[in-house]
């Protein structure tokens, strides 16, 4: 099962996900949600997202990185993946591997924008951290610090669950966790 997981901020009626290859916000509880949700599964990311990670690989998960840099490809022939290695591959190779597994693993696509776009219509679920100002209004960014990366939300997904509202440690922002599911797919 393929899932997307991302944090979004509504900005000028668009879903912003980043700036300069970085997250727009880092909230402790959001990072814990990400870790708890993805732990023990495969995480799939683009090369720039991989470079932006503070620690590599992300522990407790099998790390797959999509890249066109063929010199980095290191997929084991027996598909025996472990959590201590980061595996580099092409989009096509990922699907060759994925479709070889008789028991489909849980995969979380964690970014960036081009990778989300590639998988947006293949995902079963989309997990979103919806970030707003503490009063629930749209976040305003200072000139020069506006988001530069956005996510186009596919219309085939329906909202399934909404968490309680959380406040950032500084109290300036609120956020909640949303789970969307593709139409016609069975729930987990």
């Amino acid at each position: 099962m393929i899932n997307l997981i991302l944090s979004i901020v509504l900005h000028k009626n668009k879903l912003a996900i980043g700036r300069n290859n970085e997250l727009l916000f880092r909230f402790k509880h959001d990072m814990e949600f990400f870790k708890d949700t993805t732990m023990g599964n495969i995480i799939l990311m683009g090369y720039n997202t991989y470079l932006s990670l503070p620690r590599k690989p992300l522990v407790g998960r099998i790390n797959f990185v999509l890249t066109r840099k063929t010199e980095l490809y290191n997929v084991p022939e027996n598909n025996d993946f472990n959590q201590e290695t980061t595996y580099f591959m092409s989009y096509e190779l990922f699907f060759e591997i994925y479709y070889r597994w008789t028991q489909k693993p849980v995969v979380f696509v964690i970014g960036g924008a081009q990778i989300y776009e590639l998988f947006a219509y293949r995902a079963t679920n989309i997990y979103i951290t919806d970030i707003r100002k503490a009063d629930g209004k749209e976040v305003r960014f200072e000139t020069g610090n506006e988001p530069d990366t956005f996510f186009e939300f596919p219309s085939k997904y329906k909202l399934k669950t909404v968490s309680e509202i959380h406040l950032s440690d500084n109290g300036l922002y609120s956020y909640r966790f949303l789970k969307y599911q593709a139409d016609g797919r069975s729930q987990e």
Side-chain angles (χ1 to χ4, degrees):
M1 171 186 349
I2 297 174
N3 304 287
L4 305 184
I5 187 166
L6 63 154
S7 295
I8 59 114
V9 177
L10 183 64
H11 178 68
K12 297 181 181 178
N13 294 318
K14 292 165 60 175
L15 302 178
I17 62 172
R19 175 172 166 68
N20 294 332
N21 204 36
E22 294 288 332
L23 296 174
L24 296 170
F25 294 96
R26 288 187 186 274
F27 301 132
K28 182 180 178 188
H29 188 64
D30 182 36
M31 295 294 120
E32 290 169 356
F33 174 79
F34 173 86
K35 182 178 179 181
D36 292 345
T37 304
T38 61
M39 189 61 72
N41 296 300
I42 294 171
I43 55 172
L44 177 70
M45 67 197 92
Y47 188 72
N48 288 335
T49 298
Y50 167 75
L51 292 177
S52 75
L53 295 177
R55 280 170 265 163
K56 303 167 188 69
L58 292 180
V59 296
R61 294 151 277 207
I62 296 173
N63 290 241
F64 284 179
V65 178
L66 297 185
T67 181
R68 292 184 192 98
K69 299 174 186 276
T70 56
E71 68 275 12
L72 296 177
Y73 292 1
N74 63 340
V75 174
E77 288 186 28
N78 62 359
N79 287 346
D80 187 18
F81 300 101
N82 66 64
Q83 296 178 357
E84 290 79 40
T85 305
T86 300
Y87 299 97
F88 298 88
M89 63 193 70
S90 66
Y91 174 80
E92 296 78 15
L93 184 53
F94 166 76
F95 276 106
E96 282 179 34
I97 294 164
Y98 186 78
Y99 289 123
R100 266 191 250 146
W101 280 313
T102 52
Q103 181 84 16
K104 298 293 181 257
V106 177
V107 176
F108 284 93
V109 177
I110 67 169
Q114 291 177 348
I115 306 304
Y116 285 138
E117 190 176 309
L118 285 172
F119 287 89
Y121 287 93
R122 292 180 172 268
T124 301
N125 300 300
I126 299 178
Y127 295 83
I128 289 180
T129 303
D130 175 29
I131 302 169
R132 299 172 186 264
K133 287 175 44 179
D135 63 7
K137 294 182 180 171
E138 183 178 318
V139 174
R140 300 280 182 214
F141 294 89
E142 293 178 17
T143 302
N145 285 325
E146 297 98 343
D148 61 10
T149 310
F150 300 89
F151 176 67
E152 180 99 16
F153 194 85
S155 61
K156 75 174 197 165
Y157 294 90
K158 301 295 180 207
L159 183 62
K160 291 297 180 182
T161 60
V162 179
S163 77
E164 62 187 81
I165 295 174
H166 304 274
L167 284 178
S168 62
D169 289 339
N170 64 11
L172 296 176
Y173 303 99
S174 66
Y175 58 97
R176 59 193 177 146
F177 305 116
L178 311 175
K179 179 181 177 185
Y180 289 84
Q181 188 174 59
D183 284 346
R185 305 268 177 120
S186 60
Q187 193 134 8
E188 292 177 79

